[in-house]
Amino acid sequence: AQAVFRSDLSHLLGLMGSGKESLIFMKKRTRRLTAQWALAAQRLARKLGGAQRDQKQILVHIGFLTEESGDVFSPRVLKGGPLGEMVQWADILAALYVLGHGLRVTVSLKELQSNLGVPPGRGNCPLTVPLPFDLIYTDYHGLQQMRQHMGLSFRKYRCRIRVIDTFGTEPAYNHEEYATLHGYRTNWGYWNLNPKQFMTMFPHTPDNSFMGFVSEELNETEKQLIKAGKASNMAVVYGKEASIWKLQGKEKVLSILSEHMEVHGTVFYESQRPPEVPAFVKNHGLLPQPEFQQLLRKAKLFIGFGFPYEGPAPLEAIANGCVFLQSRFSPPHSSLNHEFFRGKPTSREVFSQHPYAESFIGRPHVWTVDYNNSEEFEAALKAIMRTQVDPYLPYEYTCEGMLERIHAYIQHQDFCAAPGPAPAGAGVPKSPLVLAPNATHLEWARNSSLAPGAWPPAHSLRAWLAAAGRACTDACLDRGLVCEPSFFPFLNSQDAFQKLQVPCDSTEWEMNHLYPAFAQPGQECLLQKEPLLFSCAGASAKYQRLCPCRDFRKGQVALCRDCL
Ligand code: UDP
């Protein structure tokens, strides 16, 4: 059936269930954003013309909200606990519903079982039951529960699962055998899914799909009003928990800040107990989301002290006309050196509190400075107080942008299809790879009929041999492009090296997440034996990696120009 855009979200609110504080928070958000979603649906419908959109039957199982996983977040919703995940799930539900798909939502194991058709108490039922859903969106907790309760169906149907995974899962951690052999084992990884089945909160890991969330949008009148009403000396500090004020070495920065600006906070506190923040801070306590937005509308500056990492709030602040000031991390934080990231299935290095704000938005909206350097910090503050900035929201974080992206994923991503014959198979003489006229990189001949169903389309491929020690993620960014792991199979051949005029004295096929690559000593060309290990992330001084890049739409990095 054809999916039809929906603009009335009241039925969705019914599907979301009730009782838990987290669900109440999510439903309030959905209700508040209804008009915005409806408008976005109209715009996207116009943009897509009458394009065929198949209606899917979708199960959304929010594992972290189930009692069976401990549900540690719901009781903390009103106490300063993390809200980013709930923001994101509320928006995912809204987007799927607005796009017109058939939706079921479960937040308990019992509901999950009944929706999967598994009789209660028959958790380890060895039979494969036909799955009544085309797609399942869940998280790591939900994935665990499904593996436990779906019996053999889990293996058969796991290609239909999408895992919402804030910080991302790199291929080396996802592949069970490889992770175990090479020390990439964590509590989360080793699911052997296609890495694109993991969906992140920010577009930081091109090996995964970027899911995102939305921020509230302003119309022109509101933007003008906000600009006129800004208090140039008002700062709001990022963070709902008192602990962010206790991070060491901040005294100096705080005293400079308080000299120049009136400092506001939204730190949760119990009514009987005074808030644990410095006396000069005007603390509002944890605010309901709309009131938090109102506060941001008046403020000039939203300032981060290093925690929480990569949340929604800085985008909301920038959308409401604030400048976001944050500290540079040097050395960068990662699972190797920071408690918060320890055990997460990624080696990604985080160079500031909010890398997306730093590299996708930047000045004048975002300033990333060294907080250990008081002069640099003070100069930034003064400059910020003097500059006028417009409210700004990247397209990919608008409702329309999120609808567009999820629409494209649902229509094009298929991880159940049997892998076709290797398109550029080793040594196929007529591979469509061609050396670009400037002889720096490879392209895919536009008129080639090989790899017809590829998405993104194969002709958006641009492939380089990166410098030794450079990851493909960075090598592509260096060229204003993004790494596209689905193109690795097109490059994984001797033919690719030959066309790039790289002299291979020998060729090996091995399991290694850095392959395909070239090793200078010995002039070895190294090819990937395990498709699940194709990885944009990862680098070693020993290898020059062969990197597949593609273009992207301005403000929608998940999609290439011809991806819609
Ligand atoms: N927020 C709120 N009240 C406040 C402060 C923040 O409702 O007093 C909301 C904010 O609008 C944002 C959400 O909390 O959407 C999550 O923000 P954050 O970036 O702090 O991420 P988290 O660490 O909670 O996941």
Side-chain angles (χ1 to χ4, degrees), residues 25 29 32 73 77 80-88 166-167 201-202 213-216 236-241 265-268 283-293 295-296 302 307-317 340 353-354:
F25 173 89
R29 176 176 176 82
R32 202 169 61 246
F73 283 6
V77 166
L83 297 175
E85 280 80 0
M86 287 157 218
V87 165
Q88 191 183 28
T166 305
F167 295 95
M201 193 133 183
F202 290 93
F213 57 93
V214 304
S215 178
E216 286 165 66
V236 175
V237 173
Y238 183 12
K240 309 185 249 14
E241 291 184 74
T266 58
V267 177
F268 167 75
N283 187 28
H284 302 260
L286 181 70
L287 293 174
Q289 236 184 356
E291 287 172 39
F292 179 62
Q293 308 278 336
L295 187 70
L296 293 173
F302 190 60
F307 195 85
Y309 296 102
E310 301 187 304
L315 288 191
E316 295 167 2
F340 180 84
Q353 184 173 0
H354 206 291

Side-chain angles (χ1 to χ4, degrees), residues 413-477:
Q413 286 186 331
D414 181 358
F415 306 112
C416 296
V428 172
K430 273 211 196 102
S431 145
L433 286 174
V434 291
L435 188 64
N438 60 8
T440 58
H441 66 276
L442 295 177
E443 296 181 359
W444 191 261
R446 225 174 213 280
N447 56 8
S448 162
S449 57
L450 281 168
W455 191 84
H459 66 254
S460 59
L461 166 73
R462 303 280 176 279
W464 275 266
L465 193 66
R470 200 91 181 126
C472 288
T473 310
D474 301 321
C476 292
L477 287 178

Side-chain angles (χ1 to χ4, degrees), residues 102 156 241 263 403 460 526 536:
K156 180 163 173 203
E241 291 184 74
V263 184
L403 287 175
S460 59
L526 303 156
C536 293

